[in-house]
Amino acid sequence: MLTLKQIYDNQDRVIAGLEKKHFAGAREAIAEVIALDATRKAAQQKKDAAAAEMNKISKSIGMLMAQGKREEANAAKAQTGSLKEQIALFDKEMAQAEEAQRNLLLTIPNVPYDIVPEGTGAEDNLAVRMGNWPNQAVLDSLAAGKPVALRDWPTHADEAIAAERIAQSEKLPHWELAKKYNLIDFDLGVKISGAGFPVYIGQGARLQRALINFFLAEANKAGYTEIMPPTVVNQASGYGTGQLPDKEGQMYHCEVDDLYLIPTAEVPVTNLYRDEIIDEAQLPIKNCAYTECFRREAGSYGKDVRGLNRLHEFSKIEIVRIDTPEHSDASHHEMLDHVEGLLKKLELPYRVLRLCGGDMSFTAALCYDFEVYSEAQHRWLEVSSTSNFDTYQANRLHCRYRRAEDKKVTLCHTLNGSALALPRIVAALLENNQTEDGIRIPAALQPYFGADMIK
RNA sequence: GGAAAGAUGGCGGAGUGGUCGAUCGCGGCGGUCUUGAAAACCGUUGACCUUCACGGGUCCGGGGGUUCGAAUCCCUCUCUUUCCGCCA
């Protein structure tokens, strides 16, 4: 959530930012936050004054008792009744204003950075980089330093490239390839769990393990500490990273013990630092974790959920950083380079999008999505979302650091990104690398997979 | 699942109704000494809210209660540890 300081220091910018995110009623909401703060302060000042008076009297009673002046002590006691009532009254006023303010702040999204493009949806996202894909019009524009809005993306060029690379007649979507090579059994998953829980078999299972090991090894090389957290978390952790209360219905909930299955490793790995004050010398903290991720995906349907496109359980390697405000942007770029490096090594066609205000998540200040092109589905699939949350998440988490310079306690910045989520990577690998002889495994992955082809 | 004990500042650990936000040790920071470091010695060292400031208020796992006054007493919840049971 936003800090009051952010709001007071830069009211107009905050409102403009919220409007960029298409948050309705931004101006009114901010005015309300400030009004509630004034109410709270007034109540607190009255309460504090009454409490100070009460403390004084109580202390004097203590001293009178010690001196054996019982009657004077009793006289002092008589004064306390109305003070007590006042304190209770002001305290209630204060607590109410505070709670109302907090509830309101929880509904206000993060303020996007200046470089976030204007826009309402996917069409307005800006492609800022791409690779392994000879879509010349886009490449030329990017080379000239001009990002391409998705609404201007030359889709026909993508299809032409895909058609050229694999003869149309042979091109199979990954769900058919999975069957052809006996890699994944979706029906068995339905039998033992339900739709969206695939069973990986043989070479399919080995490919999963190879990717997990590859992604973890690359993260380790880049200086991330490997964490293996619990995949089930308590309510406080859900609130800490913002999945609760907003996305209550999207998480699997074990009601008997009131625990939640994690939708991403971001939740446990970031909550490691909940209620902590970190020494600046420790920053940036760079952690990575492989976990299974669980998402109910209520309301999804159609081609979006076909095959591996959208699952209830999937594997993901997440990178998480805790950093200073001064360095968080540099950290973000390092993360983006890392993710891009993975896609280069996997030889997958990719593009990097800077999300527009309307398409960003509630909590992000700046977010880049990575998409890979699926040559059989003729569409781009999101495989990573790499965001800087500024202080928004840290404020909720109470994650702070002690500045080396002046020992002041200040909110950290938090960042995270997928590096990477497996299912759509697998989908693209299978579809894009299909040949007459089998499915080609990219060179970087071969040591982990132990073969150069799936046959 | 049964029984018992416990939860205090970065850590360890005192404190059972009245100047206790909390003795002390470790750690951290500053200094003396030293060419430098270590050791020793001296000093200092929580967070949050509020105030231009002085100051004031809150916090001893969470919530509630008793009392003029609660870290300390009562209720309740959560968690941890130990023993028994079960068990990969």
Side-chain angles (χ1 to χ4, degrees), chain A residues 374-393:
Chain A
S374 147
E375 295 187 33
Q377 297 182 72
H378 302 285
R379 56 202 214 92
W380 292 88
L381 303 173
E382 182 191 332
V383 292
S384 174
S385 196
T386 300
S387 311
N388 189 343
F389 301 97
D390 201 83
T391 58
Y392 192 88
Q393 209 172 41

Side-chain angles (χ1 to χ4, degrees), chain A residues 312-425:
Chain A
H312 289 309
E313 174 176 349
F314 62 97
S315 309
K316 178 160 67 66
I317 285 74
E318 184 80 359
I319 51 179
V320 175
R321 292 171 76 140
I322 315 278
D323 208 345
T324 62
E326 294 75 25
H327 189 261
S328 78
D329 196 54
S331 260
H332 199 182
H333 280 99
E334 286 172 26
M335 294 166 79
L336 296 172
D337 289 346
H338 176 70
V339 176
E340 186 174 2
L342 298 175
L343 294 172
K344 279 183 182 161
K345 288 186 183 175
L346 291 176
E347 302 164 38
L348 289 171
Y350 68 86
R351 62 184 186 187
V352 186
L353 308 177
R354 187 188 298 148
L355 297 192
C356 73
D359 209 27
M360 285 168 78
S361 77
F362 191 78
T363 49
L366 177 60
C367 177
Y368 291 87
D369 272 8
F370 288 75
E371 298 184 332
V372 295
Y373 192 72
S374 147
E375 295 187 33
Q377 297 182 72
H378 302 285
R379 56 202 214 92
W380 292 88
L381 303 173
E382 182 191 332
V383 292
S384 174
S385 196
T386 300
S387 311
N388 189 343
F389 301 97
D390 201 83
T391 58
Y392 192 88
Q393 209 172 41
N395 190 29
R396 238 187 201 198
L397 283 164
H398 295 295
C399 172
R400 296 161 297 168
Y401 74 103
R402 192 178 301 281
R403 287 204 302 233
E405 192 187 347
D406 54 8
K407 307 291 172 205
K408 281 254 163 58
V409 175
T410 312
L411 285 175
C412 295
H413 279 199
T414 61
L415 307 96
N416 66 51
S418 347
L420 283 161
L422 295 226
R424 295 174 193 157
I425 291 287

Side-chain angles (χ1 to χ4, degrees), chain A residues 111-133:
Chain A
V111 175
Y113 286 162
D114 287 343
I115 63 162
V116 169
E118 299 280 351
T120 52
E123 291 285 279
D124 300 308
N125 294 336
L126 283 187
V128 293
R129 309 187 67 140
M130 80 181 302
N132 296 333
W133 199 236

